[in-house]
Amino acid sequence: MYDTDGSRLWATGTDNRAGARRGAPLWSGTSLHAGNAVAAAYDSTVVLTQQADGNPVLADAGRALWSAGTWGHPGAYLFVQSDGNVVVYDDTARPLWSTRTWGHQGAYLVVQTDGDLVLYDADGVVPLWASGTHV
């Protein structure tokens, strides 16, 4: 189901785009706040967690694979913007980190089961940014 501006409001979870088959997607317009986490799959040990200190961390079985390096900013959150840029904002909406991938309407972030965090274009074909942490 989509809003009038084309943003996704709800999905069945049966999306067949390439990125969605690899793990758990964070769709355009999704935010991850302190204490929230997304696992690559229901039985996966690969998890992206927004820590209370403001740092999003990708880990496998508790071992850190990647982080944005934004610790020291309690209240910060990760946001997948509709323009294709993923940004960590502090609690006053000041950007702390980004993928610098604006200009890609509908791009989405995937926590992959292989341990990589990847931002795909709207079609799920072209990777725009990746953490480079596949295990």
Side-chain angles (χ1 to χ4, degrees):
M1 184 180 316
Y2 293 87
D3 199 352
T4 55
D5 67 357
S7 61
R8 183 184 306 264
L9 296 174
W10 180 82
T12 62
T14 57
D15 194 314
N16 272 340
R17 291 185 286 182
R21 288 193 305 265
R22 294 183 187 106
L26 289 166
W27 302 110
S28 174
T30 302
S31 58
L32 202 59
H33 292 268
N36 293 143
V38 177
Y42 77 93
D43 61 348
S44 178
T45 58
V46 178
V47 180
L48 175 65
T49 304
Q50 181 64 41
Q51 297 184 157
D53 67 359
N55 197 20
V57 176
L58 180 68
D60 182 19
R63 182 178 58 91
L65 302 172
W66 172 88
S67 85
T70 55
W71 57 86
H73 297 277
Y77 60 96
L78 181 138
F79 184 64
V80 182
Q81 297 183 168
S82 62
D83 67 357
N85 198 17
V86 178
V87 182
V88 176
Y89 288 103
D90 72 7
D91 60 350
T92 66
R94 183 176 59 96
L96 301 171
W97 174 90
S98 88
T99 56
R100 305 180 57 82
T101 51
W102 49 86
H104 298 277
Q105 190 78 19
Y108 59 99
L109 192 63
V110 178
V111 180
Q112 296 189 165
T113 55
D114 69 357
D116 210 358
L117 183 63
V118 182
L119 181 68
Y120 287 97
D121 69 353
D123 295 328
V125 177
V126 178
L128 304 170
W129 176 90
S131 62
T133 54
H134 25 281
V135 291

